[in-house]
Amino acid sequence: MPDTTPRRLSRNTKIVAVLVALLVWTGLASGWTDKGCDFVPQSYFLVISHGTPDSDEGCEPEPSGPEYTDRYYR
């Protein structure tokens, strides 16, 4: 009779998966910093809410800090 118990991921595999996910997230967030956004936490939040920036998306300087805009031209 074949073993039907599901295999569990090892602790090391989980740690490596989380680190890879953080590296990918950081890489995507760097696209927003190139568009004038703060790296932490604004760029990370924008990756979740908007994905990667289009050519007309970015952050404009404001007195309270950079703000997201969909009319970014630089």
Side-chain angles (χ1 to χ4, degrees):
M1 181 181 278
D3 185 17
T4 60
T5 56
R7 288 189 70 199
R8 297 184 68 186
L9 295 175
S10 71
R11 182 177 179 194
N12 288 341
T13 303
K14 291 176 186 176
I15 291 171
V16 169
V18 167
L19 290 175
V20 168
L22 287 173
L23 285 172
V24 169
W25 192 13
T26 300
L28 294 174
S30 70
W32 284 103
T33 58
D34 294 342
K35 298 282 196 144
C37 303
D38 289 336
F39 189 60
V40 176
Q42 190 175 33
S43 291
Y44 284 91
F45 175 73
L46 287 169
V47 168
I48 293 171
S49 61
H50 297 284
T52 56
D54 293 333
S55 61
D56 60 344
E57 292 180 314
C59 293
E60 294 292 331
E62 298 289 332
S64 62
E67 292 293 323
Y68 169 79
T69 182
D70 59 357
R71 294 183 191 142
Y72 180 81
Y73 298 105
R74 285 196 190 182

